[in-house]
Structure formats: C-alpha cells, structure tokens
Amino acid sequence: MAQLEDLFTRWEKAFVDNGEPTSSDGKPLFTRDGIMRLPGKSDAEMEEIWKTSERHIVFLLYEQYQHVEAEKRYAEDIREWFEIGVTKHKANPKEQLIPNTQFFQRIGALLYGLYHETHTRSINFEGIPKQNLEDIFHRIPCAFIECKKVPNGSKANINEIKRYIQKYNDLLKEEISILKPTVVVCMGRHTHDFMMEKYFGVEYGWTFSQPEIHYDAASGMIVLSSQHPSTRRKSRQTIYKELLTRVRKLLAAHPDALK
C-alpha cells in the first residue's frame, strides 16, 4: 500500500508538471486505484489479505466514468467503492453501484470464475451462486487499474486513452509490478496491447501464447483479453464463457498455471 501511495504521489506530480486537467479546486483530476478495500479493513489488513490470497486478479480498465460535463469531474479513490458498502456512486447518488449495473455484474462473474477455476474444476456461468453480487466482491479480493487515471464522461475517447497509456506507460508498468498479479484481465483491446507491447514487449518468449490468452511461467502471470465491461455487443454470459474457455485451454496444457 505504501508503494502504491508513493507511486500515485509521483504520478500526480507528473500530471501537474505536464498540465493535465484539474478539478474545480485546482487539484489534478487523478484516479487512485489498486487493491479494492473491503468493509471494515485497514490498509494493513488489506495488504495482508492480498498477500495471502490464493490468486491476485487485476482488472485493467480504460478510465473512470463520472459526469458528462467536464467541470463536474473530480479526483476520486475508487478503492473506497467496496469499503463504503458499494451502494451509491458519488457521481450519481441515485445510482446503485452494485448489483444493478452491468459493469459490476460482468466483472463480478469473471472474478468468481477466475478465482475458483482449476484444471480439475470448471466453473460454468450457471454455477455461479445466485447470491448478492456484493458478497462476491466482499469475499474475493481484487484490484482495479484505470489506465488513463483521468475520469471522463460516458463516451470514451480512445485516442486520448492511448495517448495517456503511451505517455505514462512506465508508471503504469510500475503499478502492475507492485501488485504482482496472478491474472491480468485486459478489459478492452488497448489495455491488452499495452501488456503485450509495453509491459512484456513484442518479442517476449511466452510459456503459452494463443490469441487473447498468454502465460508466463517465470512471473506466474496470465494475461487475458476480454470485452470492456460496458460493451453492449455481448451478454454477460457470452463474455464469461469466452474468457473461461481460453483459461481452460491454458490449464489443459499447463495444469499448474492457476495454483
């Protein structure tokens, strides 16, 4: 946690030095993220939970959605989303954050499946417990990383996202390295491109590599490509089944890839 705070301090300073957007109070429009805090847990407890977790699952996202109007956007620590009960979104207090948004429904399903899947146990979509989705996020630790770090409105500007990833890729790589993920779920093509081209490098020698899934035995990391959770092109069930099918191909070749 201390490493992440030091990183974010340096990242914010880089934003100031580079004249990135600020909020109405003059502070950088910067999204703090990482290990999602669980209700009632201190940072020290969350660090221990993360360290001892069976798997470190990181969701690599584009940017945090806030207000459509730029002047109403603000810096936020999204790690608080689960800590405050995961019931209201600051940007829209009338909107329930979980379980009524497809964004969290899709990520929650993937989190459950990726945490429990093994080479001898397949977790089908229909087998996910029909419990409150909030319970999944409160029982299984995970991390969110917003690659752009600057919140935006409802329509993503892909060119801007690519520009931020390119400009601050060293800091983004450092954040991922601090978290030491077992699984990185790239929610969108451009986050996957970053992992392939910047984090590992185009000539990297993967232990296992197929379209949209890659495994590196040296670091113990699996990199998966998935649909962005806000897409309307595919259902939650389809996104889940496609992702877990890729994982099962990996486990058939490398049963210990998800220890």
Side-chain angles (χ1 to χ4, degrees):
M1 292 299 207
Q3 286 179 289
L4 285 175
E5 288 309 310
D6 173 72
L7 171 66
F8 294 152
T9 298
R10 290 185 279 116
W11 209 327
E12 278 190 316
K13 184 179 184 302
F15 268 29
V16 172
D17 293 344
N18 293 329
E20 304 294 3
T22 58
S23 57
S24 58
D25 60 5
K27 295 180 180 179
L29 272 177
F30 186 85
T31 303
R32 273 173 154 72
D33 50 26
I35 302 168
M36 304 299 282
R37 298 188 182 107
L38 301 180
K41 301 297 183 183
S42 66
D43 279 0
E45 289 173 316
M46 282 310 308
E47 185 166 329
E48 187 61 24
I49 289 170
W50 184 255
K51 284 180 178 179
T52 58
S53 176
E54 185 175 338
R55 294 168 187 174
H56 299 165
I57 301 172
V58 175
F59 292 94
L60 208 56
L61 301 154
Y62 282 158
E63 60 188 4
Q64 184 203 358
Y65 163 68
Q66 285 187 4
H67 291 281
V68 174
E69 298 89 349
E71 64 274 9
K72 293 184 179 180
R73 295 171 197 157
Y74 50 88
E76 184 175 9
D77 189 336
I78 68 170
R79 294 172 294 185
E80 298 175 352
W81 280 353
F82 300 167
E83 182 185 33
I84 60 178
V86 207
T87 54
K88 302 295 179 186
H89 193 304
K90 290 180 182 178
N92 185 358
K94 294 182 180 179
E95 176 188 5
Q96 276 205 322
L97 205 57
I98 288 180
N100 294 334
T101 62
Q102 70 172 10
F103 179 92
F104 284 100
Q105 288 176 343
R106 289 171 173 178
I107 291 180
L110 295 178
L111 175 61
Y112 187 91
L114 289 170
Y115 195 80
H116 292 97
E117 183 84 13
T118 70
H119 72 287
T120 59
R121 180 181 62 202
S122 295
I123 307 299
N124 295 320
F125 183 84
E126 296 74 17
I128 298 174
K130 305 302 181 188
Q131 57 195 355
N132 191 324
L133 190 58
E134 197 166 320
D135 188 52
I136 290 177
F137 286 109
H138 286 176
R139 290 188 300 105
I140 304 175
C142 66
F144 287 2
I145 295 179
E146 302 281 5
C147 290
K148 184 184 166 190
K149 291 293 185 285
V150 180
N152 196 21
S154 56
K155 187 177 175 76
N157 184 325
I158 295 301
N159 288 331
E160 275 292 281
I161 291 168
K162 290 166 63 176
R163 183 178 73 82
Y164 273 87
I165 290 176
Q166 174 65 31
K167 191 171 184 177
Y168 299 101
N169 75 85
D170 286 344
L171 296 168
L172 186 54
K173 286 190 285 187
E174 185 176 345
E175 181 174 10
I176 295 169
S177 296
I178 289 171
L179 292 170
K180 295 181 174 61
T182 306
V183 182
V184 176
V185 187
C186 302
M187 309 298 281
R189 180 170 63 87
H190 301 291
T191 59
H192 182 258
D193 290 347
F194 161 77
M195 290 299 297
M196 294 297 101
E197 298 169 9
K198 300 297 182 183
Y199 191 87
F200 281 98
V202 292
E203 300 298 327
Y204 193 80
W206 293 94
T207 306
F208 177 93
S209 183
Q210 289 190 2
E212 301 181 306
I213 181 167
H214 313 272
Y215 169 58
D216 175 46
S219 63
M221 190 187 303
I222 298 169
V223 178
L224 284 159
S225 179
S226 182
Q227 296 287 318
H228 192 274
S230 297
T231 186
R232 297 179 180 178
R233 293 194 297 270
K234 293 184 179 181
S235 69
R236 178 169 37 135
Q237 293 92 328
T238 299
I239 291 172
Y240 181 89
K241 289 176 181 178
E242 287 180 348
L243 194 84
L244 268 293
T245 296
R246 295 168 196 146
V247 172
R248 287 162 193 162
K249 289 180 180 178
L250 166 62
L251 293 177
H254 299 275
D256 294 331
L258 273 178
K259 291 184 179 179

